[in-house]
Amino acid sequence: MRADSLYIEKIDAAIMAIYAVSTDDHSYTMLAENLANWDEESYPEKNQDEARLAEDLYKLMTFLDQKDLKHQSDKVFRIILLTFPERHFAQSPVQSKVAGINFELFKLVKYESMRQFEDCYRMALADLPTFTREIEMRQFREDCSGLAGKFFAAFVSVAGELAESDHNDVPWILMHQLAWQLNNANQAYNQAYGILRSLLSLKNVSPSGLLAQELDESMVFFKRNYYWNRIDKAVMTGDTATMVMYIDRLMPMVSAGHEKSNLVMLRAKAVKTEKHMPWGCLLLIIALILGIFATSRLFDMFIPEKPEKRWAKTPPKPMTPTTPMSRLTPTSTATGDRIPADEPASMSLQVFNRAGLDENKPPLQPHGRKLTLAESRYVIFQKHRLEHLEGVDLMPNEEEALRKLWEEWRSRAENAELDRDNLEKAENEAESFSELLKGDAEDQLKVILKSLEADGWKNDDENDKNRAENLRPARVEGLLNLHDPADLNKVLVQLEKKGYYNGPTDLIKWNSVAGSALARFKATKMLRTDKTWDIETQQALFSETGAGND
């Protein structure tokens, strides 16, 4: 018997009870309560018990998964997160110079270049949304304009002037602090990584050895945060393909056994979900196919065919050497049939995007004309997409797919002649829908990877048909609409009941106070630190009352 802990035996008993009767909610409640009490205890052998309990809980969760008890498995997973958060979330490396931004460092150097560097630094802090967006567009480098480009040039100037001096590390420390500001306060993990990667790629200037090691450790930490963030979002939205992609990228960076086990478990769940099709869906698809076939047969049997339809089936006369070429204008064919001048682009040239805008690939160059608005969108949008993919770490097969996408873009769009108004409109739209274009880019990459795995690089028609099927955004049924005052009232009343909101519940528009209340609820109940409203958040908020699923 263990005299040191009052709860360890109760925890073991609760685990054994779950193994015996996995659907008994009382056993999960007892497990959570005793683990919470055990977590408050302090005794000599607690570290040893902690490792054993964590392993036992992971085994229990795997057992429940194998029995297809997802609800119970999720309960155990939440218990693990609450009791052992350090075994799931990435830990910060030991840093000594990242506690906020020390503006006193600017006063150590009286050079004009340092004054310009400070001006750019403060401008970036004052307009972080613009700064982070330009970093993601890879504008934080040489020969680039804008806020990020000027900031980079100012850093290079002052770092070069202070090289080999006693203050060599000052600008590097300030940029390190700025990167941590983006990571901690703005959750701009990839941009924090991008700043340090751009700076450490410089050839003529470098930090001291110890600081360089700290910068390398921070880069790894930022990239881990970015990958975990994408995995968490994929889990929330059910995007199993994205989840698997980022788990595979994160796996080589993980050394802790418990974290690797967690990633393996998440990947197995994602693969199983992706391959599994419920019988209900399969039967529905079969019924739809049979219904369409039967309807078509009835039309053929009872509705007489129109004369013009029969004529349309007559094969066109073949083109002969005597057919005058001058008669074949762009709006006519060899048979004399007219083609409407405003005929839409074929599916082989149509590009589907999440913004819902008309977008078409231009024909292969040379064009001999100015591009239409839809073709201009492809020129601008696709370049933004591919530049976004250039800014993330890719696997070798993904880099090959990206290379082929660039080749196609250059063959259709490079040096194309664009109308000025169309160009300006497409650029404004690209800026407005920048987040959606990033999603388009990753969707396109997945489509290309699937085509490479199945049949190698397919022709344009096959690729665009795949895009047409894969780029349509999924609709979530049953999700309350926060732009609807009636649905908004339900959410605010529920937040008020649970003690997270103390304000008027008859709002007609979602505001920052309501968003903060939702964020506090998600941080407490779901271990998330965002304000996103999705079906998982709705289910958690209304889990006890069921009111949100009317």
Side-chain angles (χ1 to χ4, degrees):
M1 179 175 177
R2 296 290 303 273
D4 295 331
S5 173
L6 298 176
Y7 300 99
I8 197 73
E9 289 186 354
K10 296 179 181 179
I11 294 170
D12 291 337
I15 292 175
M16 294 306 298
I18 293 173
Y19 274 115
V21 184
S22 302
T23 56
D24 183 10
D25 291 338
H26 178 70
S27 299
Y28 295 94
T29 303
M30 294 302 298
L31 176 62
E33 290 178 355
N34 285 299
L35 274 171
N37 292 328
W38 169 84
D39 200 27
E40 300 293 328
E41 285 188 311
S42 177
Y43 59 94
E45 297 183 6
K46 185 171 183 178
N47 289 337
Q48 179 181 348
D49 284 340
E50 178 179 338
R52 181 184 66 81
L53 285 175
E55 184 177 354
D56 288 347
L57 290 172
Y58 275 115
K59 289 180 179 178
L60 177 60
M61 185 168 56
T62 304
F63 168 78
L64 295 171
D65 279 334
Q66 291 172 348
K67 293 185 66 176
D68 288 332
L69 297 173
K70 185 179 184 305
H71 179 66
Q72 288 78 6
S73 174
D74 289 344
K75 281 186 178 181
V76 176
F77 184 54
R78 291 190 183 95
I79 291 172
I80 293 174
L81 291 183
L82 290 172
T83 311
F84 310 110
E86 70 283 354
R87 291 179 174 267
H88 175 75
F89 299 106
Q91 297 298 302
S92 173
V94 177
Q95 302 290 343
S96 58
K97 304 176 182 179
V98 293
I101 296 175
N102 184 5
F103 289 98
E104 295 298 319
L105 293 175
F106 288 108
K107 299 178 181 179
L108 298 178
V109 180
K110 303 299 183 182
Y111 296 161
E112 176 64 19
S113 59
M114 177 59 82
R115 187 189 65 77
Q116 294 177 357
F117 175 59
E118 182 180 2
D119 289 344
C120 292
Y121 198 102
R122 293 181 181 274
M123 289 172 62
L125 286 175
D127 193 2
L128 281 177
T130 299
F131 182 54
T132 53
R133 184 172 64 251
E134 290 183 0
I135 294 173
E136 192 144 3
M137 297 300 296
R138 303 191 67 183
Q139 300 298 308
F140 188 69
R141 56 182 178 179
E142 293 180 305
D143 303 325
C144 287
S145 58
L147 179 59
K150 293 178 181 177
F151 193 4
F152 185 87
F155 172 84
V156 172
S157 175
V158 71
E161 197 166 353
L162 296 177
E164 307 300 331
S165 72
D166 293 340
H167 298 300
N168 176 75
D169 284 346
V170 170
W172 293 92
I173 294 171
L174 286 165
M175 294 305 293
H176 192 199
Q177 293 174 352
L178 176 60
W180 274 92
Q181 171 79 8
L182 294 177
N183 177 85
N184 296 341
N186 300 87
Q187 288 79 49
Y189 311 118
N190 205 37
Q191 290 87 338
Y193 168 83
I195 285 179
L196 299 187
R197 185 183 66 175
S198 297
L199 297 182
L200 291 176
S201 66
L202 293 171
K203 304 295 184 183
N204 300 326
V205 293
S206 60
S208 61
L210 182 60
L211 180 57
Q213 182 180 353
E214 288 188 3
L215 294 175
D216 286 335
E217 291 176 353
S218 295
M219 283 177 62
V220 173
F221 180 69
F222 299 152
K223 183 56 67 174
R224 283 164 58 93
N225 279 352
Y226 175 68
Y227 288 159
W228 269 117
N229 179 257
R230 295 310 301 266
I231 291 169
D232 287 342
K233 287 182 178 179
V235 170
M236 294 169 63
T237 59
D239 188 351
T240 55
T242 299
M243 192 192 315
V244 170
M245 180 174 68
Y246 282 101
I247 287 175
D248 289 343
R249 291 181 182 178
L250 179 59
M251 194 72 75
M253 303 170 63
V254 172
S255 57
H258 58 270
E259 189 175 3
K260 187 165 290 188
S261 299
N262 187 26
L263 287 172
V264 170
M265 177 200 66
L266 287 174
R267 193 183 193 284
K269 277 187 175 182
V271 172
K272 181 179 179 182
T273 303
E274 193 171 33
K275 292 182 177 180
H276 178 64
M277 176 178 283
W279 279 105
C281 293
L282 186 59
L283 292 174
L284 179 61
I285 291 172
I286 294 174
L288 286 173
I289 293 173
L290 292 175
I292 293 171
F293 178 75
T295 304
S296 176
R297 294 287 294 176
L298 289 172
F299 269 92
D300 291 341
M301 291 173 61
F302 298 107
I303 298 180
E305 193 173 24
K306 294 182 180 179
E308 58 268 29
K309 186 176 179 181
R310 290 198 299 270
W311 297 339
K313 291 183 178 179
T314 305
K317 297 178 181 179
M319 188 173 182
T320 67
T322 59
T323 305
M325 292 300 294
S326 60
R327 294 175 61 187
L328 298 179
T329 63
T331 57
S332 67
T333 67
T335 61
D337 297 329
R338 298 286 294 177
I339 299 176
D342 57 348
E343 182 182 16
S346 66
M347 286 295 295
S348 62
L349 296 179
Q350 192 170 0
V351 180
F352 291 89
N353 55 61
R354 297 188 178 191
L357 301 173
D358 289 335
E359 181 182 350
N360 301 326
K361 294 179 184 177
L364 296 175
Q365 300 193 59
H367 300 141
R369 61 174 175 81
K370 290 185 178 181
L371 301 187
T372 65
L373 175 59
E375 292 170 339
S376 301
R377 286 189 180 120
Y378 173 82
V379 175
I380 303 302
F381 288 9
Q382 190 70 355
K383 187 177 181 183
H384 280 254
R385 296 179 186 121
L386 300 184
E387 287 179 345
H388 165 67
L389 293 177
E390 290 280 3
V392 299
D393 289 342
L394 300 177
M395 305 292 284
N397 59 335
E398 294 172 334
E399 291 179 352
E400 174 65 15
L402 177 59
R403 183 183 66 80
K404 291 184 179 295
L405 287 171
W406 271 119
E407 287 178 357
E408 183 188 27
W409 182 85
R410 293 189 183 98
S411 68
R412 297 180 182 276
E414 196 169 38
N415 301 321
E417 186 179 3
L418 277 68
D419 180 79
R420 181 183 297 273
D421 292 338
N422 289 344
L423 173 62
E424 183 177 351
K425 184 172 183 179
E427 287 178 341
N428 291 336
E429 290 172 342
E431 183 175 354
S432 300
F433 299 112
S434 59
E435 292 299 322
L436 297 179
L437 293 181
K438 295 173 192 174
D440 290 345
E442 294 173 8
D443 287 339
Q444 288 188 18
L445 192 63
K446 285 184 279 188
V447 171
I448 297 302
L449 287 176
K450 288 181 180 179
S451 66
L452 286 173
E453 291 171 0
D455 302 312
W457 181 251
K458 299 182 180 179
N459 59 41
D460 288 340
D461 290 343
E462 291 171 334
N463 274 330
D464 290 320
K465 288 178 182 177
N466 286 338
R467 285 193 192 94
E469 295 299 324
N470 286 284
L471 297 188
R472 291 188 174 94
R475 296 181 180 271
V476 180
E477 296 184 359
L479 182 65
L480 294 178
N481 182 7
L482 297 187
H483 297 289
D484 183 346
D487 287 352
L488 177 58
N489 174 259
K490 293 180 183 179
V491 174
L492 294 177
V493 168
Q494 193 65 12
L495 286 170
E496 185 180 47
K497 287 180 180 179
K498 292 183 177 288
Y500 296 97
Y501 179 70
N502 184 20
T505 58
D506 56 349
L507 298 178
I508 61 172
K509 184 177 180 181
W510 187 259
N511 59 26
S512 58
V513 177
S516 299
L518 181 63
R520 289 194 296 273
F521 167 76
K522 295 186 73 171
T524 305
K525 298 297 184 181
M526 301 175 65
L527 301 179
R528 299 280 187 260
T529 56
D530 59 83
K531 301 179 183 179
T532 304
W533 177 254
D534 50 31
I535 194 67
E536 185 179 352
T537 306
Q538 178 173 305
Q539 291 170 350
L541 182 60
F542 290 93
S543 59
E544 297 178 2
T545 64
N549 300 316
D550 295 341

